[in-house]
Amino acid sequence: MQSFFPPQRPLVLGSTSRYRRELLQRLRLPFEVTAPDVDETPQPGEAPPALALRLALAKAHAVASQYPEAVVIGSDQVADLAGHPLGKPGNHERAVAQLGMMSGHTVIFQTAVAVVCHATGFEQAELAAVEVRFRALAEDEIERYLRAEQPYDCAGSAKSEGLGISLLDAIVSDDPTALIGLPLIRTCRLLRAAGIILP
């Protein structure tokens, strides 16, 4: 059976996130997954949007150095609470602290995506900012939620695509999948710019 698409460069997702892998699968493109070796420590005084963009590009370049002929996607997400970056909590205690800080506040989830191809010199990145308004949360609500969903690998300690939606008053975004970890509208735009043909 003849393919509708001409041969394309290999596509590689530079990420260990299962959420990003699942999102990229929606585009029905064949791709490999490789973990980027990148230090994610914020630089002194680095604002959350700048941090997310820097790390997305660093991840894409780290993987592109191993696959120079491939088109590589890197992505990073930083929860931005009044200019203070919140990363993945990693454990229950830090998740309790994060949700306590975000209770009753608006948090901007800065999700950056970068697409790089060393063979062609292509490099572009975009940022999607998602406004998330948290309800005022009681301590027992936080505890019940965390015990139920254990979102310790998610920036901001909540999964909007799951039970975490019950913690929120509103989500405002122009790229609906950005909050889950990969802004697919922007990703498609960058992939097309890099020469990848999408259905």
Side-chain angles (χ1 to χ4, degrees):
M1 184 175 177
Q2 187 175 3
S3 170
F4 289 103
F5 305 108
Q8 303 197 74
R9 288 189 177 276
L11 183 62
V12 181
L13 175 62
S15 177
T16 57
S17 166
R18 71 178 190 272
Y19 310 110
R20 291 191 181 107
R21 184 176 66 245
E22 289 167 2
L23 287 170
L24 190 58
Q25 286 170 345
R26 294 185 189 183
L27 301 184
R28 302 185 184 185
L29 294 168
F31 66 93
E32 300 293 325
V33 178
T34 298
D37 184 15
V38 170
D39 179 2
E40 298 190 27
T41 307
Q43 295 176 351
E46 189 172 29
L51 173 61
L53 279 168
R54 178 176 64 81
L55 291 179
L57 278 164
K59 291 174 181 180
H61 278 294
V63 173
S65 66
Q66 301 173 56
Y67 301 92
E69 295 296 324
V71 172
V72 179
I73 301 168
S75 186
D76 193 74
Q77 184 179 74
V78 179
D80 178 351
L81 177 59
H84 177 70
L86 302 174
K88 298 171 186 171
N91 63 41
H92 185 81
E93 292 71 27
R94 283 200 286 271
V96 168
Q98 281 192 358
L99 287 175
M101 285 189 290
M102 295 186 296
S103 173
H105 294 282
T106 295
V107 180
I108 308 299
F109 284 79
Q110 308 283 0
T111 307
V113 59
V115 173
V116 167
C117 179
H118 282 186
T120 63
F122 183 86
E123 174 190 309
Q124 286 186 23
E126 290 198 30
L127 186 69
V130 182
E131 181 182 299
V132 178
R133 297 177 208 145
F134 281 82
R135 292 187 301 102
L137 304 173
E139 289 181 10
D140 64 321
E141 285 184 294
I142 291 172
E143 191 67 28
R144 283 197 311 273
Y145 168 68
L146 292 176
R147 294 296 180 194
E149 199 151 62
Q150 301 181 12
Y152 308 134
D153 60 345
C154 298
S157 305
K159 293 182 186 178
S160 66
E161 68 274 25
L163 184 59
I165 199 75
S166 68
L167 307 178
L168 309 179
D169 270 334
I171 297 172
V172 182
S173 174
D174 66 356
D175 204 335
T177 59
L179 189 54
I180 305 172
L182 187 65
L184 284 181
I185 292 172
R186 286 165 171 80
T187 300
C188 289
R189 184 159 57 226
L190 294 178
L191 289 176
R192 285 192 297 267
I196 297 292
I197 296 172
L198 292 158

